[in-house]
Each structure stands twice: as C-alpha cells, then as structure tokens.
Amino acid sequence: MDHQVLKTDDYELVQNYLVNQITAQMHAGANRQSWIRMVKELRPIDREQWARQTGFLFDYTLGRFLCAIQETVPETLSFIQAGSEFLGDFLHAVATQNYATAEGVWNTKNAAQISYDGSLLPSTSELTEQASTVSEILSVQQLLPHLPPEFFPPNFVS
C-alpha cells in the first residue's frame, strides 16, 4: 500500500494505513528523527487535508498507541501525560474514547500554527517526541495486545 491511500475519503482505510505506518515505526524502535521523517513523507501527499483531517487522525491513532502503554507499563503514561497540558488532556480524551474532546484539544493546540508547508503540527511534534521515547524502550509486540479491537480486521471463518 502506498502513500496515495491518504488521498481517499475512506477514513477506515486511512486509519488502517496510519496504524501500519505507526506499527512499523514502533517495531523499528524509531528515534525522533525517524518519526519526523515519516510524518514529513506522509504529509505532502494530501496537503490541506492533513491539516484539517488526516493530521488529527494520525495524532489520535498515535495517541491510542501511547495509551496502550498504560496497560503495559502504567507509570509510563503518567510520565507522558505530565509532559504538557496538551499531552495530558489529549491522551486522557483518547484513553476514554472521547473523540469530540480530543478534537477540541487538538484544534486548540494547532489553531494558530496550521500550515501547508509540510512542517509538523505542534500536536504531532509533541506526540512523536513521546513515541520516539516509547518505541526505544517498549517493543510493538508489547503494545499491540492493548490496542482497541477496531485496529484489527475481523476474523472471518469460512
């Protein structure tokens, strides 16, 4: 699957793609520069849509990975959330599956800095910084069992 999937309006397909990208980064133990490079490669594909929709979906999806840490290493999420008011509020909303609150917190964080030049959104910058720390200390295999079930395709019995 290539980056062109980001041009679709099929949010389930886009989210599945983002889950694959994030999983690959986590599996590789990606450092901060690898996360930034990955996002910068994804972002120009859909330009304005990234700042309006896909950027939020990426951050929300990455937030779900960070929240999966709570079940793996509970003290880690408290440490991450203490990083900033945004991280605390956003990850709490993600953990409680409060999409509307998460979107409001995300919009507030990014409102003054939405740009279409390929730079990272402020929210994405903070989340990828945390993800780089997490991906260096936890394996993706430790996190995957704690992700919400909608991240995985249903099993069909034939």
Side-chain angles (χ1 to χ4, degrees):
M1 189 181 303
D2 63 44
H3 295 337
Q4 297 303 315
V5 73
L6 296 176
K7 290 185 175 184
T8 73
D9 287 332
D10 183 339
Y11 294 114
E12 186 174 330
L13 184 61
V14 172
Q15 185 172 39
N16 286 340
Y17 180 73
L18 294 175
V19 167
N20 288 332
Q21 296 297 306
I22 292 168
T23 300
Q25 289 289 102
M26 298 293 283
H27 182 70
N31 63 23
R32 176 104 169 104
Q33 291 306 314
S34 295
W35 282 99
I36 291 170
R37 188 172 35 259
M38 187 261 302
V39 173
K40 285 187 174 187
E41 287 174 7
L42 295 177
R43 187 164 176 178
I45 300 301
D46 69 352
R47 300 187 190 278
E48 291 183 21
Q49 187 171 337
W50 182 272
R52 291 181 289 115
Q53 297 166 335
T54 313
F56 173 72
L57 187 57
F58 176 85
D59 287 354
Y60 194 86
T61 303
L62 182 54
R64 291 175 119 174
F65 274 79
L66 294 175
C67 288
I69 296 163
Q70 184 172 16
E71 293 185 38
T72 308
V73 184
E75 61 276 8
T76 306
L77 185 61
S78 298
F79 173 76
I80 291 170
Q81 289 180 342
S84 74
E85 185 177 342
F86 163 74
L87 287 172
D89 293 347
F90 184 76
L91 292 177
H92 176 73
V94 170
T96 59
Q97 298 183 27
N98 189 335
Y99 183 86
T101 299
E103 187 174 27
V105 170
W106 186 87
N107 283 328
T108 299
K109 177 71 175 177
N110 295 308
Q113 303 214 9
I114 296 284
S115 70
Y116 306 110
D117 64 0
S119 60
L120 264 59
L121 296 167
S123 59
T124 305
S125 183
E126 284 194 43
L127 289 162
T128 56
E129 183 175 330
Q130 298 304 318
S132 68
T133 301
V134 169
S135 64
E136 290 174 6
I137 60 173
L138 291 174
S139 73
V140 73
Q141 290 83 1
Q142 291 173 290
L143 297 179
L144 290 179
H146 303 288
L147 290 174
E150 65 268 18
F151 276 171
F152 302 100
N155 294 323
F156 295 102
V157 178
S158 54

